[in-house]
Amino acid sequence: MDSGSPGESPAIVDPTACESCGQLAESGRSTPLCASCRSRLAARPLPRWILISAAALLVPLVLAISQFPAALAANIAMERGRRAETTGAFSVALTEYAKVVRQFPNSTRAVARKGIAAFHAGEYQVAAEAFDAIEGRDAPSDIVSEVNDAIEQMKKLQR
């Protein structure tokens, strides 16, 4: 019987039959499916775009997490150096700033602070090397003035 013919009643759907295979459906579920059809439909693989997106987000996250301990240690050393510098313990400050520079050799602020601490500790060669390393870089005006003052004083000591 064709349910699309005029004058005929539409096919009656059995609410106890699985919509997918026609076997006995599980009771108490909103969609009438048997256990095997429900398991098969639930075990679909994740779409490829979701897997690619997850991998693209996971790689930078893992890199950031792996670098966090070193960045934290450098930040702690920078703060210890700053505190030592304010109390006049310039050799301690130099040691702490050197730790930061080992971790972040391109940090203008860390190299400048190392040079300034070295100058005040009397380590003029270390100070000169630090100042040479940051020559031509952009830096905050307070750092620039401190470095320039230290360089001028070192020039006066050479005469």
Side-chain angles (χ1 to χ4, degrees):
M1 244 201 282
D2 185 9
S3 62
S5 304
E8 294 183 23
S9 65
I12 298 174
V13 178
D14 182 7
T16 62
C18 174
E19 283 185 7
S20 182
C21 67
Q23 292 183 7
L24 184 62
E26 293 180 311
S27 61
R29 304 288 186 134
S30 60
T31 305
L33 292 171
C34 65
S36 64
C37 288
R38 188 175 305 280
S39 295
R40 182 176 41 82
L41 290 171
R44 292 187 316 196
L46 285 175
R48 185 176 305 260
W49 69 269
I50 291 178
L51 296 174
I52 292 170
S53 298
L57 292 173
L58 189 62
V59 169
L61 177 66
V62 168
L63 287 174
I65 289 172
S66 69
Q67 293 175 357
F68 178 74
L72 180 63
N75 205 355
I76 290 169
M78 190 74 173
E79 181 61 22
R80 286 179 181 161
R82 187 193 64 75
R83 288 183 183 173
E85 209 173 353
T86 57
T87 62
F90 294 108
S91 59
V92 173
L94 174 59
T95 303
E96 294 300 324
Y97 290 140
K99 291 177 188 176
V100 179
V101 171
R102 271 194 303 275
Q103 186 64 39
F104 297 104
N106 294 325
S107 170
T108 303
R109 183 175 293 275
V111 175
R113 295 278 17 129
K114 176 185 172 186
I116 293 165
F119 166 73
H120 289 297
E123 300 282 339
Y124 301 120
Q125 183 62 36
V126 174
E129 290 170 3
F131 297 151
D132 285 343
I134 60 171
E135 183 178 0
R137 292 189 196 174
D138 287 333
S141 60
D142 60 326
I143 293 289
V144 171
S145 65
E146 274 190 88
V147 168
N148 287 338
D149 289 345
I151 291 171
E152 288 301 317
Q153 289 180 24
M154 285 172 40
K155 285 180 181 178
K156 288 177 185 176
L157 291 173
Q158 282 182 336
R159 296 181 201 166

